Amino acid sequence: LRKYAEYIREQHFDCSIHFLNSYPYAYLAWRAGIPRRIGYTSSPLFAWMYTDRVSHNTRDITHHEVDQNIELVESLLVSHPSRPTEIVIPSATLEPHYENIRRKLAVRGLSPTEKYAVIHLSAGKGNKSWLPERIGELAKRVRDKYYLKVIVTGGPADVEAGKKLAQQDPLLISLAGETTLTDLMAIISRATFYVGSDTGPTHLATLFGRPIVALFPSKVSEPAHWGPWNSPNVVVRPLTGCTLNCRPAQCPYFYCAEDISVEEVLNSVAQVMNGKVHIRESVESLQDANLQKTLRILLVDSDQIEHKRALESFREKLERNGFAVFRADQENYREAFIRHGINIVHAIPPISWKLAWACLSAGLWVHKSPQLIQGVPTSESDNNFARDYMHYLQKASKSWTGKIPQEARG
């Protein structure tokens, strides 16, 4: 690291912005003596290496990564203009790559005037990708229903899967392993719609405002935090029956991906084709459909009759509004956390030490500790319930005890 630090010092940078809150990069910037180093407060062991520290509430599940990163950049500004809702890439930047792609597609029988859809095969390491055989079936059904050609894209590791799909279906066009990043941008930018998992090319589709069907098979993926931003989109995230502890980067199984059917994805394609989609512009977007697909809520049973009634009423309201809700008693917290990917726990005080310890220590054996909230919202109305509940979670995330002031509970 010292060698790299010396190299960075020789470049005479004025400022470093640390979107990835990681010790090696914080150390390099500090060791290189960069005058201004901007990073998050969430890692106190090395946050002191930053000259400018921006608050980062890791417990706020409603906060999108884009909004979070914009807040980091805003610390550079004297004034705070309105946040951008789109990024414009000049067409001249991609024009040479359009020509390259046109030649490749012409050889495969796609004329410049024909419309097409893009399906991306992979999502890097682990089990966040969908199943290739189902991608092949989806491509056939999209072509039959919408009269669109289908282009399958992917990286070098997807070449064989792409070839196999093209052999099974000669009308499918595979460019897996054949594109540069800018080639891929050129392809996606002109797609009628895009289908892909929780991966980089999905965010490229967002960049170009393409209608997106985003697949989030993993129990620990959070579309409210990592989903498409400011682009027409429908997220597919199954309630998986997998009982294994979810570590997507290392998991050799595809049980979660198997829970996403071709029919479900095709129905989501129909939604984006018909304009029945969700657009997330910022954390201020109050109708956030992706939040409902992110939350896995555990209600802890109580022995007191009035508490049981409050929990049951809250459960019914959550389910009516499309949230995934589970129940548990004090004997099976760990099993519930692992099986369902729980990220929110509601319990009515007094909180048992077993529950408090289970939530506190959960980060040792699951991907992320769930947020414990003492009590449930008291709102009587179903009107704007999703919006009100999102605000409720934002307030709860600011309390390390999970207690919310009485006046903020409705």
Side-chain angles (χ1 to χ4, degrees):
L1 286 178
R2 289 185 180 182
K3 180 177 69 173
Y4 291 119
E6 289 305 314
Y7 172 79
I8 294 172
R9 184 189 296 274
E10 292 170 1
Q11 310 309 308
H12 302 291
F13 289 111
D14 298 309
C15 179
S16 61
I17 304 174
H18 296 257
F19 297 109
L20 181 61
N21 199 33
S22 175
Y23 168 75
Y25 302 112
Y27 173 81
L28 282 173
W30 172 75
R31 183 81 184 183
I34 296 176
R36 192 171 183 185
R37 306 178 296 277
I38 302 172
Y40 293 115
T41 59
S42 53
S43 297
L45 290 179
F46 57 85
W48 60 270
M49 294 181 179
Y50 302 132
T51 59
D52 298 58
R53 289 174 284 278
V54 176
S55 177
H56 176 200
N57 185 357
T58 57
R59 292 158 51 82
D60 187 357
I61 202 168
T62 70
H63 208 39
H64 197 279
E65 182 74 5
V66 172
D67 296 305
Q68 179 179 299
N69 289 339
I70 288 174
E71 287 171 6
L72 201 64
V73 175
E74 282 178 340
S75 63
L76 279 170
L77 307 176
V78 176
S79 61
H80 291 182
S82 59
R83 291 187 176 182
T85 58
E86 64 178 348
I87 299 173
V88 178
I89 297 179
S91 58
T93 304
L94 292 178
E95 194 57 42
H97 304 281
Y98 289 136
E99 291 302 321
N100 181 36
I101 291 304
R102 285 191 191 103
R103 287 193 294 269
K104 286 186 177 182
L105 294 177
V107 172
R108 290 166 168 83
L110 183 71
S111 72
T113 59
E114 283 186 281
K115 294 183 178 181
Y116 59 85
V118 171
I119 305 177
H120 193 74
L121 275 167
S122 65
K125 296 180 180 179
N127 65 352
K128 295 197 297 179
S129 303
W130 200 29
L131 307 175
E133 60 271 23
R134 295 190 184 178
I135 289 176
E137 176 63 22
L138 177 67
K140 291 177 184 176
R141 296 184 67 176
V142 164
R143 188 173 59 245
D144 292 343
K145 185 173 182 178
Y146 298 106
Y147 304 102
L148 291 171
K149 291 290 182 68
V150 177
I151 300 174
V152 169
T153 57
D158 303 312
V159 171
E160 289 305 314
K163 284 182 179 178
K164 186 175 180 179
L165 289 175
Q167 289 168 356
Q168 294 170 345
D169 179 5
L171 296 179
L172 181 145
I173 300 171
S174 174
L175 293 180
E178 297 184 34
T179 58
T180 64
L181 177 60
T182 42
D183 287 342
L184 186 60
M185 292 169 70
I187 295 168
I188 291 174
S189 70
R190 298 194 174 182
T192 300
F193 66 84
Y194 167 95
V195 178
S197 297
D198 176 19
T199 186
T202 301
H203 298 295
L204 289 180
T206 297
L207 178 66
F208 291 105
R210 297 295 82 206
I212 297 168
V213 176
L215 311 181
F216 280 72
S218 166
K219 285 189 288 187
V220 300
S221 295
E222 297 178 346
H225 187 71
W226 292 103
W229 186 81
N230 193 35
S231 185
N233 72 86
V234 174
V235 167
V236 178
R237 188 176 186 230
L239 280 173
T240 178
C242 174
T243 60
L244 299 176
N245 191 2
C246 194
R247 305 282 183 180
Q250 293 86 31
C251 186
Y253 306 106
F254 286 83
Y255 301 140
C256 298
E258 289 170 357
D259 285 331
I260 298 179
S261 68
V262 173
E263 197 66 38
E264 185 176 11
V265 178
L266 193 64
N267 288 340
S268 298
V269 168
Q271 289 182 57
V272 299
M273 291 293 285
N274 294 330
K276 297 178 180 178
V277 293
H278 171 64
I279 299 179
R280 188 193 203 295
E281 294 179 351
S282 73
V283 79
E284 298 302 323
S285 298
L286 301 180
Q287 299 301 325
D288 192 352
N290 291 347
L291 178 65
Q292 289 153 290
K293 294 176 181 178
T294 294
L295 297 183
R296 301 291 184 258
I297 302 165
L298 183 70
L299 303 183
V300 178
D301 289 329
S302 172
D303 293 331
Q304 299 185 36
I305 296 299
E306 62 271 23
H307 291 175
K308 281 182 176 291
R309 289 173 178 166
L311 287 168
E312 183 61 21
S313 174
F314 182 49
R315 179 192 65 78
E316 291 174 355
K317 197 172 295 184
L318 285 168
E319 289 182 344
R320 281 199 303 270
N321 284 274
F323 291 91
V325 190
F326 307 91
R327 300 293 289 269
D329 57 39
Q330 63 180 352
E331 301 301 324
N332 60 0
Y333 298 139
R334 177 168 177 155
E335 178 187 344
F337 291 173
I338 292 174
R339 183 181 184 90
H340 304 301
I342 298 297
N343 42 36
I344 298 290
V345 177
H346 281 279
I348 296 180
I351 305 297
S352 71
W353 69 267
K354 286 186 178 180
L355 175 59
W357 174 247
C359 292
L360 185 65
S361 62
L364 300 174
W365 35 270
V366 295
H367 176 75
K368 183 179 179 181
S369 293
Q371 181 181 347
L372 173 61
I373 300 176
Q374 298 193 38
V376 296
T378 56
S379 174
E380 298 296 329
S381 173
D382 264 12
N383 294 333
N384 299 319
F385 177 84
R387 179 201 65 187
D388 293 341
Y389 188 50
M390 185 176 83
H391 287 170
Y392 181 89
L393 293 178
Q394 289 170 345
K395 293 166 185 172
S397 71
K398 297 174 183 177
S399 168
W400 286 98
T401 64
K403 292 182 179 179
I404 302 178
Q406 187 68 36
E407 64 275 9
R409 292 184 182 181

